Amino acid sequence: MSRWLEVGTDNYVLTTENSKLNTGLIIGTERAMVIDTGCGPRQGREILDAVRQKTQLPLVVVNTHAHYDHFFGNAVFAEDGATEFWAHENCAEEISDNGDAQRPAVTDLEPEMAAGEGANVELVVPNALVRDQPVLVDLGGQSATMIYLGRGHTDGDLLVGTSTTLYAGDLVEQGAHPSFEDSYPVEWADALRHLSALRHRYEFLIPGHGEPCSDRFVKTMADTMSTAVRQARQSIRDTPSDATKAIPVLPYGPEQSRWFIKRLQETRPQH
Ligand SMILES: [Zn+2]
């Protein structure tokens, strides 16, 4: 079952069952902004129905990054009349180039989406792009600012900030280990420190999954990640022939630790 939580005046978060996805809703006087749309037409419809209980205003959509649970529901919102879909340029490119490759991930949850057959199963690629500079969207009486803090959970993570609330997408994950599959571990820790430095501007911090987070939570997540980078590098130096030796010493589950090491070896900071 889905559940609304009020996080600041006219700022809300909806948690839907599948993987406890948090969808943001910011309601202005002229438009409302929906942040992340679910993993297919079924969850997208559930989110849209819940949004329509709160507001009848035209909707603007933001996808925080190019993982299926955050954008596979876009077509439901396009059908409802949304024409403006925001994302970081790297996110939009990934959805356009490789979005279809994620369909098998929802075989159980959204079989029509997985098969690409049925209503609202087409990919809607974001058409309003954020690059390195923040972009402000006026919703009437309330504005939302989209911010890019560099590479982290993916190479195209957007945050959305209002006067009270920061929606962080999967850069911050509560209640589960972070997901490293498409990540840049060293830069992710930097992005979290940057986020933590902005934290005083916001009363509420909403992760991509799980419960609202404290500043301490973000700092701990950053410190844990930096420590893990050092531990993994040390372990790889000690046993260069078998990087998996680092898995047991890392502070994450075995599968995420495996991804962490793989991505640490594959990625190098740009600067
Ligand atoms: Zn993600």
Side-chain angles (χ1 to χ4, degrees):
M1 295 304 291
S2 54
R3 148 187 95 106
W4 280 114
L5 186 67
E6 187 168 9
V7 285
T9 306
D10 294 324
N11 284 233
Y12 299 91
V13 58
L14 177 75
T15 306
T16 36
E17 194 78 323
N18 295 340
S19 65
K20 293 198 186 309
L21 174 72
N22 287 330
T23 293
L25 175 65
I26 305 163
I27 304 177
T29 54
E30 286 157 29
R31 302 192 289 174
M33 177 179 277
V34 173
I35 304 161
D36 290 338
T37 60
C39 65
R42 194 204 56 75
Q43 192 180 16
R45 172 59 56 186
E46 183 184 344
I47 293 167
L48 178 62
D49 287 348
V51 166
R52 285 303 177 213
Q53 287 171 5
K54 290 279 180 203
T55 178
Q56 293 302 317
L57 290 170
L59 301 176
V60 181
V61 173
V62 179
N63 297 131
T64 56
H65 62 290
H67 282 156
Y68 64 88
D69 46 335
H70 301 262
F71 72 91
F72 269 9
N74 282 5
V76 172
F77 289 81
E79 186 191 52
D80 185 68
T83 55
E84 215 173 292
F85 290 80
W86 286 92
H88 186 264
E89 60 179 340
N90 294 344
C91 167
E93 191 182 327
E94 176 65 18
I95 291 174
S96 174
D97 292 353
N98 302 313
D100 280 317
Q102 294 188 54
R103 288 185 187 270
V106 296
T107 301
D108 295 336
L109 294 171
E110 301 261 5
E112 291 188 335
M113 190 72 198
E117 290 167 4
N120 297 324
V121 298
E122 67 276 17
L123 297 185
V124 175
V125 179
N127 55 5
L129 303 183
V130 178
R131 294 180 175 85
D132 291 344
Q133 295 303 311
V135 173
L136 185 143
V137 174
D138 185 6
L139 302 171
Q142 170 136 248
S143 61
T145 305
M146 291 170 286
I147 309 162
Y148 180 62
L149 296 180
R151 306 193 297 189
H153 172 68
T154 67
D155 66 359
D157 303 292
L158 268 196
L159 298 87
V160 181
T162 69
S163 59
T164 55
T165 308
L166 184 62
Y167 297 91
D170 287 1
L171 273 176
V172 181
E173 182 144 358
Q174 191 278 333
H177 290 303
S179 298
F180 291 107
E181 285 89 329
D182 299 313
S183 73
Y184 297 78
V186 174
E187 288 160 274
W188 192 349
D190 290 344
L192 286 170
R193 287 207 177 76
H194 197 157
L195 196 162
S196 178
L198 298 173
R199 181 69 179 85
H200 66 279
R201 295 189 196 169
Y202 306 98
E203 195 176 339
F204 300 96
L205 175 67
I206 311 301
H209 305 270
E211 300 293 322
C213 295
S214 65
D215 187 30
R216 176 165 298 277
F217 182 90
V218 177
K219 286 201 173 101
T220 301
M221 192 174 165
D223 290 345
T224 302
M225 216 171 274
S226 295
T227 304
V229 167
R230 284 195 298 274
Q231 288 170 325
R233 282 184 173 155
Q234 182 62 47
S235 180
I236 291 165
R237 266 197 301 273
D238 292 347
T239 325
S241 58
D242 185 6
T244 60
K245 284 271 192 316
I247 290 172
V249 302
L250 294 179
Y252 306 115
E255 197 201 334
Q256 283 313 323
S257 295
R258 205 176 298 274
W259 278 111
F260 181 90
I261 292 161
K262 183 169 190 291
R263 293 299 293 171
L264 190 63
Q265 291 179 306
E266 284 172 356
T267 59
R268 291 283 179 275
Q270 279 173 321
H271 46 85

